[in-house]
Amino acid sequence: MGLSFNHVTLGQRVLFGSGKAAENLASEVERLGARKVMVIASAQGRATAEQVTARIEVARFYDDLAPHVPLDKAEKARAAAREGGIDLLVCVGGGSTTGMAKAVALTCGLPIVAVPTTYAGSEATNVWGLTEASRKTTGIDERVLPASIVYDAELTVSLPAALSIASGLNALAHCMDSMWAPRADPINQALAAEGIRALVRGLPSVRANPEQLEAREQALYGCYLSAVAFASAGSGMHHKICHVLGGRWNLPHAQTHAVVLPYVLAFNAAAAPDAAERIASAFGTDDPVAGLNGLRGTLDAPRALKDYGLTAGDLDEAVRLILPVIPESNPRPVTAENLRELLASALSGTIPGA
Ligand code: NAD
């Protein structure tokens, strides 16, 4: 069969350099000709945001944020941007902070410069998410893709080791799901494979020594590649499961991804031999499931959804909500029975193949 695909690469400037966030941000603000900048950062992230924005004029710091971007909070932030005559959004923080900037950009059309401090990867996608009445809605819109990303591994050093690992496994999940998502193609599979390699290089050292900058750089580089691959390939089975669980039961984002990933990989691997081979080779093993389990072992990774508040009584509803949103492209057919089995294992933490 010939090679045939339709690939879109999103246009974005990436400035990567440890210790260079303030300098790189200032050059981007100047290049974009912005005069009224609203900085979106959580109250806990304020000191970092001030450090990063030390060389630009800030019209307003905005910190009324919450995980999964509740719609009412998004509307308040949109009003603040409109009333303040803001012409550029700068977000400094994790995926929740980036998500708020995207929610504002979605209706106000403002450009974003994103300065990420976790490995969530939202900064490199055109995907937005909003939550209303426990239901998470996501969509794709060019207006929410940040114009530029400023990556500085020094900003991630303060991310606690356990959260760094969960967030890094969230990035790994972007890579793996990109292998079989609806728009999977050889370009994003190649990016995803290099993303896995970088994360496998970086995360064990982040775990052993959270202050080691080289490891943080590898993890951040891997996180970027993972997000580019995910943005191009779309949400596969893994992301659909995690989005429903996160929105409906308010489970923590990164940890939910970290727990669910080995179950989806074990579920799909045999039905997706090409993806399985690429993933295994990125791990330097023959078997992708063994590769992931080996990495998870060294990282002391999050293990069970019951540790984050899901209960056996939630499984029927979870199956009912997840089944209709599983992409048809998933390599292995998904039924209510095999999905329930997967979720029950993820609930209890029975790692497949381990
Ligand atoms: P988060 O942004 O909620 O951050 C988790 C915690 O880490 C917060 O308490 C935050 O204050 C803290 N934190 C962040 N950076 C820190 C640092 N450097 N040092 C110390 N503490 C720090 O979590 P997240 O996992 O980064 O992002 C999750 C959110 O991002 C979810 O809502 C998810 O849906 C969204 N997301 C969206 C996309 C997309 O493409 N749209 C992709 C990935 C994730």
Side-chain angles (χ1 to χ4, degrees):
M1 200 167 53
L3 198 57
S4 168
F5 56 86
N6 175 346
H7 177 88
V8 176
T9 301
L10 300 175
Q12 207 175 34
R13 180 173 294 231
V14 179
L15 294 103
F16 197 109
S18 295
K20 292 189 177 164
E23 177 190 333
N24 284 337
L25 175 65
S27 82
E28 278 311 279
V29 170
E30 190 181 341
R31 188 180 69 83
L32 295 166
R35 291 174 189 284
K36 284 209 139 188
V37 176
M38 181 159 104
V39 176
I40 301 182
S42 68
Q44 307 92 290
R46 178 67 178 253
T48 303
E50 284 182 1
Q51 176 200 328
V52 167
T53 57
R55 297 193 193 188
I56 62 167
E57 202 170 307
V58 175
R60 173 155 194 192
F61 282 95
Y62 191 89
D63 66 6
D64 187 9
L65 315 176
H68 301 304
V69 198
L71 182 61
D72 59 328
K73 294 219 182 272
E75 280 174 353
K76 279 191 208 158
R78 290 164 176 168
R82 272 194 304 269
E83 284 154 19
I86 297 301
D87 61 5
L88 176 69
L89 304 169
V90 169
C91 53
V92 184
S96 301
T97 307
T98 312
M100 178 58 94
K102 287 177 158 186
V104 176
L106 182 64
T107 57
C108 300
L110 294 171
I112 303 173
V113 177
V115 188
T117 64
T118 70
Y119 308 126
S122 175
E123 65 279 358
T125 82
N126 54 1
V127 179
W128 55 266
L130 284 163
T131 306
E132 193 182 11
S134 293
R135 271 190 94 98
K136 184 156 187 173
T137 314
T138 60
I140 294 179
D141 197 300
E142 292 312 310
R143 282 174 298 182
V144 309
L145 179 75
S148 326
I149 311 175
V150 172
Y151 281 116
D152 181 342
E154 283 186 3
L155 306 178
T156 62
V157 167
S158 56
L159 192 64
L163 192 48
S164 300
I165 295 315
S167 191
L169 291 170
N170 181 192
L172 197 66
H174 287 140
C175 296
M176 291 193 186
D177 224 22
S178 297
M179 297 284 181
W180 45 61
R183 300 186 305 278
D185 69 40
I187 296 178
N188 46 50
Q189 287 173 332
L191 292 168
E194 172 62 3
I196 295 172
R197 280 186 210 101
L199 291 162
V200 169
R201 271 197 301 270
L203 292 179
S205 303
V206 167
R207 172 82 189 131
N209 180 3
E211 297 191 355
Q212 197 202 86
L213 213 50
E214 292 78 12
R216 292 285 187 178
E217 286 176 345
Q218 286 300 314
L220 205 51
Y221 167 61
C223 132
Y224 167 71
L225 293 173
S226 81
V228 174
F230 166 63
S232 172
S235 285
M237 176 180 185
H238 172 86
H239 278 79
K240 295 296 184 187
I241 292 175
C242 294
H243 282 176
V244 170
L245 296 177
R248 170 63 184 86
W249 286 280
N250 204 22
L251 302 188
H253 180 83
Q255 292 85 342
T256 304
H257 277 269
V259 170
V260 171
L261 184 59
Y263 301 94
V264 174
L265 178 63
F267 184 90
N268 273 341
D274 180 50
E277 203 225 298
R278 285 174 192 263
I279 295 169
S281 138
F283 274 114
T285 57
D286 294 334
D287 173 9
V289 175
L292 178 59
N293 286 340
L295 177 71
R296 287 174 53 83
T298 64
L299 299 179
D300 195 15
R303 294 185 72 86
L305 292 175
K306 68 176 164 44
D307 297 339
Y308 299 97
L310 199 75
T311 66
D314 298 323
L315 289 183
D316 287 342
E317 185 181 354
V319 170
R320 205 168 56 244
L321 294 174
I322 293 167
L323 195 56
V325 295
I326 298 287
E328 276 181 31
S329 67
N330 195 62
R332 178 174 161 195
V334 182
T335 64
E337 290 69 35
N338 60 27
L339 178 59
R340 194 175 206 289
E341 214 171 287
L342 183 159
L343 292 172
S345 305
L347 177 73
S348 64
T350 329
I351 302 290

